[in-house]
Amino acid sequence: MTQEREPLLQQNGGVGNAAAGSKGSPAVLPSLARSVLKFLMWAVFLTWAAGIFFYPTAPVQTAFRKWADITSTEGLITGLTGTVFLFFSGPILLIAALAYVYIFAFPGDHVQKKKLRSLSFRLWTFPVLVDGPLGVVSAVEFIGIVLFIVYIVFSMTYYVVDSVSFISKAHLPPTTRSELLLALIGLRFGSVGLFCMIFLFLPVSRGSVLLRLIDIPFEHATRYHVWLGHLTMALFTLHGLCYVISWSLLGRLIEELIQWKEVGIANLAGVISLAAGLLMWVTSLHPVRKRFFELFFYTHQLYVVFVVFLVLHVGDFVFSISAGAVFLFMLDRFLRFWQSRTKVDIVSAACRPCGTVELVFSKPPSLRYNALSFIFVQVRELSFLQWHPFSVSSSPMDGRYHMSILIKVLGTWTDTLKRIIADVQEQKTRSDSDSDQSQTGRITASIEGPYGHESPYHLMYENLILVAGGIGISPFLAILSDIIHRIGQGMPCAPKNVLVLWSVKKTSELSLLLAVDAQSISSSVCDKLHLDIQAFVTQESDPPLEDGIVGDDQKAPGIFVKNGTAMSGLVGTGDNFWAAMYFAASTLGSVLAFVLVQLYYVKRYNVYAWWYLGLLLLLCMAAGITLPGGLVVLLWHLSEKRRMQDDRWDVDARAGADAEQTTNAAGGADASAASLAAMRTTRYGCRPKFHAEFAAFAERAGGAAADVGVLVCGPAGLQASVARECRSQNLRRGGAVFHFNSHSFDL
């Protein structure tokens, strides 16, 4: 039971205890294996990255051509395509394979307290840029941005100089030189764009083992996808623009645009791919996305058109440059498709008087998550395509069979959902009919996830500051519940001092604090945990007359919706063994399919059209994922189904048992127990003064010796203010160290 509730922390503790408790060689072997795996992954990555960075240079170009000639002439079945794939995409898949071995062998191997002040960890949590179009940027992110800029400038400068030198040696008319130079520069923009496309698809794979390996939650990876999307589309746009100008100067614009060569580049396919990419790019710009989210969402489904016609445009061996990253995305997308087919039981759906919707989903006890996780939710009555991310508001300690989220009404989708639930609640109040029969199928929900931090970030600090704006308190409710439960049950839990700074517009929003499962805190927990909740009501200058009963806000009775089963465990962050088997089967299946196609179709029938060979490569990747990979997923699904049958539970009976347990706990609670509402201090007509609050907290936490974890969830302005204060505090000599981390999902 305990292992199912907290596998990440306990498994890590198990590894650490085993290493600490053993003497001699047994303790050395796990540490040595861990070091060897890390070294191999870093060696492969750095070699691969260096090869990409210096690819424009003459020495690397010469070495690559020699290797390509050797592998092509000495019997490599896949020819030039296989060579390019091994050089550019092979390292990504090798790192992914090693990552699965690492995660399976050392589950929950995350940053320990002794490493909080290490340089690498501080670079991740130190905000360098605060105000700007990129939002809050950490030191590591800033280094990554600089490296990409240096790569683009270096590559294009080298290519331009090389192209000018090449053209100057040829005896051509000035007009022809200009046209040729534009074509060559356009070609180089396209090749650099393909390299950037490798990194474009890596962060958008939600359950990617690579994201899990370096513990980058998907809400952070989404920002990287946005940045890389702007960069990649800018390069592809310049690529197309250079060719358009060159063809216009030659007077062959229309003729070239509609050309579809058998050997060489298929221009028309490139025009279609670029048009789809431009539509996605324009609608993803922040002003458009904010005002017309549905337009952005539906237009972004054109990524299929973008990728397919890009493959047809460049052919098989050129596409092999970014094929590995696209393959990992296809793996994740196919697994998400399987998980999203499940119709999930809604244990409770209710509207709170403050205007927030609470949904409680049924989940299998084997599905693991932590208090910083989030899920994607689809309600088919509202849309078959739209999936919306929500932070989990429940802790794994609240119960093994359910997971809850809080939804604030902000747009059409959430408003319609609230009206559906409110209508059913009203019918339930008026009617005495059986609730199961009247409510079955009214809300058909599907879930993808959970995703998020691989490690419970909030459990690493003795001193923790949680800064929230409005509904941003949702993930922090899960954190508070997690901490209170762990301390109450004597489980490993680092936090000793917790400060919550919560800004809301209206007093009614304060009732969200009642969503915390652990409402009553025993005196033994109070002795070990100093919890201070500071609430700021910004749009009310005085407490309302009914302020004394804010804590008695009662949500309407929840409705139960029986859709068929609990959440599916088919997720990349789920069972490590099955996820690794799925990756291995899909990869080997794709390689085998491509080899067989080359042997028995391409070579036998002398297939030579570039666009067709590219299409065959893409189809082989899809076949490897859907056939052998699909078989593994089916076995995984049957295994999960059998596990769920072994641990069957009756919803109504368990609900009664939970209610009885809650009543008994309340009745047997210690007389000196405190409530969360009693720990809340409310201030009206003001906002938190972060400088004073942070300085006072650091002083209480131990001054210069203190490491303070700061988590913020809320609007971009709130994140910037908190990051600015963390940076200011960290730049002071002899002060506490503030580790900044945001937990906001900005689509």
Side-chain angles (χ1 to χ4, degrees):
M1 282 257 202
T2 304
Q3 287 183 342
E4 291 174 345
R5 285 184 179 180
E6 50 158 3
L8 297 174
L9 186 66
Q10 182 149 350
Q11 286 177 6
N12 181 73
V15 173
N17 292 339
S22 303
K23 296 182 179 179
S25 58
V28 175
L29 292 178
S31 178
L32 179 62
R34 184 186 294 108
S35 300
V36 168
L37 282 173
K38 285 184 177 180
F39 173 79
L40 288 175
M41 287 186 286
W42 272 109
V44 173
F45 172 74
L46 292 176
T47 304
W48 171 72
I52 291 177
F53 191 92
F54 293 106
Y55 181 72
T57 62
V60 176
Q61 290 272 344
T62 303
F64 178 74
R65 289 194 187 98
K66 288 182 179 179
W67 186 34
D69 291 339
I70 293 174
T71 53
S72 298
T73 57
E74 293 190 359
L76 185 65
I77 298 173
T78 54
L80 181 60
T81 303
T83 302
V84 177
F85 188 91
L86 285 175
F87 192 83
F88 293 110
S89 294
I92 301 175
L93 300 182
L94 178 58
I95 294 173
L98 293 174
Y100 274 115
V101 174
Y102 185 87
I103 289 176
F104 185 78
F106 309 104
D109 183 36
H110 60 275
V111 181
Q112 297 295 316
K113 181 185 173 183
K114 64 182 180 181
K115 297 181 180 179
L116 291 181
R117 294 209 174 190
S118 66
L119 178 61
S120 59
F121 189 76
R122 291 193 64 178
L123 288 176
W124 274 107
T125 59
F126 180 78
V128 174
L129 300 180
V130 174
D131 301 303
L134 300 181
V136 179
V137 178
S138 70
V140 168
E141 292 169 342
F142 180 75
I143 293 172
I145 292 171
V146 170
L147 288 176
F148 265 98
I149 293 174
V150 170
Y151 166 68
I152 300 299
V153 173
F154 169 75
S155 298
M156 290 311 303
T157 302
Y158 195 96
Y159 280 137
V160 170
V161 171
D162 186 62
S163 299
V164 171
S165 175
F166 170 75
I167 293 175
S168 63
K169 295 177 182 178
H171 300 288
L172 299 171
T175 305
T176 306
R177 288 186 179 184
S178 300
E179 296 160 358
L180 183 57
L181 180 61
L182 278 171
L184 287 175
I185 292 176
L187 174 65
R188 300 313 184 186
F189 273 126
S191 62
V192 174
L194 274 176
F195 285 121
C196 291
M197 205 175 91
I198 298 174
F199 300 92
L200 176 67
F201 278 91
L202 290 178
V204 82
S205 302
R206 297 175 186 171
S208 170
V209 68
L210 299 179
L211 297 182
R212 296 179 61 195
L213 178 68
I214 52 182
D215 198 15
I216 295 181
F218 184 66
E219 67 267 28
H220 289 190
T222 301
R223 298 175 66 215
Y224 310 152
H225 174 70
V226 172
W227 299 345
L228 289 164
H230 292 317
L231 175 62
T232 304
M233 285 311 305
L235 291 168
F236 282 156
T237 302
L238 291 172
H239 163 72
L241 189 60
C242 286
Y243 275 104
V244 167
I245 296 174
S246 176
W247 294 334
S248 298
L249 293 175
L250 291 172
R252 301 201 313 263
L253 179 60
I254 302 301
E255 178 186 347
E256 291 287 348
L257 286 177
I258 62 175
Q259 193 175 66
W260 194 298
K261 296 179 181 177
E262 292 291 308
V263 178
I265 301 299
N267 294 339
L268 181 58
V271 171
I272 296 172
S273 177
L274 182 58
L278 287 173
L279 281 173
M280 290 190 292
W281 189 22
V282 171
T283 56
S284 66
L285 296 175
H286 185 71
V288 180
R289 187 176 73 243
K290 187 175 181 180
R291 293 188 59 186
F292 308 101
F293 177 81
E294 291 189 357
L295 176 63
F296 152 75
F297 184 87
Y298 290 121
T299 306
H300 233 63
Q301 309 311 309
L302 290 173
Y303 74 85
V304 178
V305 177
F306 173 75
V307 172
V308 171
F309 280 91
L310 175 66
V311 175
L312 299 179
H313 173 58
V314 299
D316 55 341
F317 70 90
V318 178
F319 172 66
S320 297
I321 292 174
S322 54
V326 175
F327 178 75
L328 290 179
F329 171 77
M330 293 170 64
L331 277 173
D332 179 75
R333 189 66 191 87
F334 183 70
L335 192 59
R336 284 161 44 200
F337 171 80
W338 270 76
Q339 188 190 27
S340 64
R341 296 307 91 196
T342 301
K343 299 177 182 178
V344 179
D345 289 339
I346 301 177
V347 178
S348 174
C351 296
R352 290 183 172 271
C354 63
T356 302
V357 174
E358 182 180 36
L359 297 179
V360 182
F361 298 104
S362 170
K363 84 169 193 68
S366 58
L367 186 62
R368 304 173 298 176
Y369 73 102
N370 63 51
L372 285 172
S373 297
F374 65 93
I375 59 176
F376 281 79
V377 180
Q378 178 207 53
V379 178
R380 300 183 184 182
E381 285 75 13
L382 305 182
S383 172
F384 274 92
L385 291 178
Q386 288 192 37
W387 292 82
H388 292 262
F390 298 100
S391 296
V392 172
S393 60
S394 61
S395 159
M397 307 298 296
D398 293 341
R400 302 170 62 239
Y401 295 92
H402 73 272
M403 175 189 295
S404 63
I405 60 174
L406 294 172
I407 303 174
K408 184 177 182 179
V409 177
L410 293 174
T412 305
W413 190 90
T414 51
D415 182 63
T416 307
L417 175 63
K418 180 183 177 181
R419 283 192 282 106
I420 291 176
I421 296 174
D423 290 344
V424 176
Q425 286 180 327
E426 186 176 354
Q427 293 176 11
K428 180 179 179 181
T429 303
R430 294 178 180 177
S431 173
D432 294 328
S433 60
D434 181 75
S435 61
D436 284 347
Q437 294 179 359
S438 62
Q439 294 152 24
T440 298
R442 289 299 303 270
I443 303 176
T444 308
S446 297
I447 305 294
E448 286 184 7
Y451 306 108
H453 282 277
E454 181 71 8
S455 56
Y457 180 87
H458 61 287
L459 297 178
M460 293 166 28
Y461 298 94
E462 287 188 2
N463 309 293
L464 194 62
I465 298 178
L466 308 176
V467 185
I471 195 62
I473 195 66
S474 181
F476 299 157
L477 300 180
I479 287 177
L480 292 177
S481 181
D482 201 40
I483 293 173
I484 293 170
H485 277 304
R486 287 177 181 276
I487 294 177
Q489 298 180 23
M491 301 172 67
C493 184
K496 299 294 184 293
N497 301 296
V498 179
L499 170 64
V500 180
L501 301 175
W502 181 23
S503 300
V504 297
K505 294 180 179 179
K506 302 292 183 181
T507 305
S508 59
E509 297 180 55
L510 298 177
S511 63
L512 288 176
L513 201 59
L514 294 175
V516 178
D517 179 72
Q519 282 296 313
S520 180
I521 306 177
S522 66
S523 58
S524 60
V525 173
C526 291
D527 292 339
K528 299 177 182 177
L529 175 67
H530 182 270
L531 176 61
D532 183 12
I533 302 176
Q534 300 285 339
F536 300 82
V537 183
T538 60
Q539 294 187 2
E540 294 178 0
S541 56
D542 297 300
L545 295 177
E546 64 273 15
D547 180 58
I549 58 172
V550 167
D552 297 329
D553 174 296
Q554 296 295 324
K555 65 179 179 181
I559 63 173
F560 168 67
V561 182
K562 181 70 174 176
N563 284 320
T565 184
M567 293 169 56
S568 170
L570 302 179
V571 58
T573 56
D575 191 294
N576 291 332
F577 171 78
W578 284 110
M581 291 300 100
Y582 169 57
F583 168 80
S586 299
T587 304
L588 294 176
S590 298
V591 172
L592 180 61
F594 186 65
V595 170
L596 292 177
V597 166
Q598 289 290 320
L599 281 176
Y600 297 103
Y601 182 67
V602 173
K603 296 186 182 299
R604 176 173 294 184
Y605 296 100
N606 194 27
V607 178
Y608 60 88
W610 285 21
W611 67 269
Y612 189 47
L613 291 172
L615 180 61
L616 289 176
L617 173 60
L618 192 62
L619 290 176
C620 288
M621 291 164 56
I625 294 172
T626 55
L627 296 178
L631 177 61
V632 172
V633 173
L634 177 61
L635 295 175
W636 186 358
H637 171 69
L638 295 176
S639 174
E640 291 286 332
K641 191 175 180 180
R642 190 180 306 112
R643 186 183 301 180
M644 290 173 63
Q645 288 176 347
D646 292 341
D647 198 10
R648 249 182 151 161
W649 62 293
D650 180 77
V651 177
D652 297 326
R654 183 163 292 277
D658 288 344
E660 182 181 355
Q661 182 180 0
T662 303
T663 303
N664 293 338
D670 163 352
S672 60
S675 66
L676 285 180
M679 296 182 173
R680 188 193 74 219
T681 302
T682 307
R683 305 177 189 177
Y684 292 87
C686 63
R687 299 178 183 276
K689 297 179 180 179
F690 295 121
H691 177 75
E693 297 286 356
F694 281 31
F697 183 82
E699 191 65 29
R700 293 196 305 268
D707 283 286
V708 181
V710 181
L711 277 169
V712 57
C713 186
L718 178 65
Q719 295 183 45
S721 298
V722 175
R724 190 181 300 109
E725 184 57 36
C726 287
R727 184 178 63 183
S728 175
Q729 294 281 352
N730 288 337
L731 292 177
R732 296 181 180 182
R733 306 189 71 176
V737 177
F738 288 81
H739 302 268
F740 175 85
N741 202 321
S742 65
H743 188 70
S744 297
F745 204 107
D746 181 20
L747 286 180

